[in-house]
Amino acid sequence: MSEQGAEQLAAGARLSVARTLNRCTVLGPGRRAVLWVQGCPLRCKGCVAAETLPFAPEAGRPVAELVDWLTELTDIEGVTLSGGEPFAQAAALVELLDGVRAVRPELSAMAYSGFRLPVLRRGTGAQRELLARLDLLVDGPYVAALHADLRWRGSSNQRIHPLSPRYLKELAEPDTSAGIQLSVGLDGSFSWAGVPAVPGFREEMERRIAAEGFALHTEAGGPVPHTGGGEL
Ligand code: SF4
């Protein structure tokens, strides 16, 4: 990162974050970190996790801290940005990707959005700048009535757009669900991430978890609408 860039980040750019995951193999090509932002301006029918829709400035984390987190993950090939709505915090995400690539230029970037690509292309300057830094975009909101067994997305209205040549080969592979990733932390915590191939996955999992006497946390660290994930 340039000295000037580091000073700008140190000056206080912040990103409202719902949750992060260090390594994930079901939300984009290869092994990736995932960052779910907090807050979305849309209210789509079928959004499965209302808890991440409110904007929460108090959940803001310094962009410089997130740059350090990503650049220290030496075994990932990129980062996936989900939410919430990443393009509602486009300027901070542009700073994040620039900061990361100043140190790790090889890392790829993928993002989800409830907005369609043509809308984003007519959007704010920061939204266009974020598009210019992405290799892949999955656009459109999740619509429960259109749920389908698809790779990296939950409903058939959502589309994968290659915004660079990097993943054209992967996009030619079969378009079926990448599955769900389950993780158990050293502290005994349990988490899941991914896009379920069948509708109602989250509800059924929560029902079974509750039946065993556990509680699923659904605050800022909980499941998210574009791409599922949760923690116990
Ligand atoms: S589906 Fe996505 S775009 Fe729609 S309200 Fe939920 S988070 Fe926002």
Side-chain angles (χ1 to χ4, degrees), residues 136-197:
L136 291 175
L137 173 77
V138 177
D139 75 348
Y142 169 70
V143 178
L146 299 176
H147 195 106
D149 179 3
L150 299 168
R151 188 169 43 169
W152 305 328
R153 59 211 197 281
S155 54
S156 58
N157 61 304
Q158 295 178 302
R159 298 172 299 195
I160 306 176
H161 299 275
L163 300 181
S164 83
R166 180 159 175 168
Y167 289 119
L168 292 179
K169 191 172 148 205
E170 286 78 356
L171 292 183
E173 294 169 1
D175 188 10
T176 55
S177 172
I180 299 296
Q181 176 177 315
L182 303 176
S183 310
V184 179
L186 292 175
D187 60 354
S189 62
F190 165 85
S191 68
W192 70 278
V195 183

Side-chain angles (χ1 to χ4, degrees), residues 31-111:
R31 183 186 292 130
R32 320 180 63 76
V34 185
L35 189 157
W36 288 271
V37 302
Q38 178 72 32
C40 177
L42 304 179
R43 292 294 180 271
C44 306
K45 189 176 178 184
C47 180
V48 296
E51 63 272 17
T52 61
L53 299 186
F55 286 93
E58 68 280 7
R61 289 174 59 181
V63 169
E65 175 187 306
L66 294 164
V67 168
D68 290 343
W69 161 61
L70 284 168
T71 54
E72 287 168 10
L73 297 173
T74 55
D75 58 348
I76 59 169
E77 70 174 70
V79 59
T80 294
L81 309 171
S82 187
E85 174 51 58
F87 283 82
Q89 300 186 69
L93 288 173
V94 166
E95 289 203 31
L96 174 71
L97 293 180
D98 284 353
V100 168
R101 283 174 168 155
V103 181
R104 300 273 306 278
E106 79 283 7
L107 290 185
S108 65
M110 169 175 167

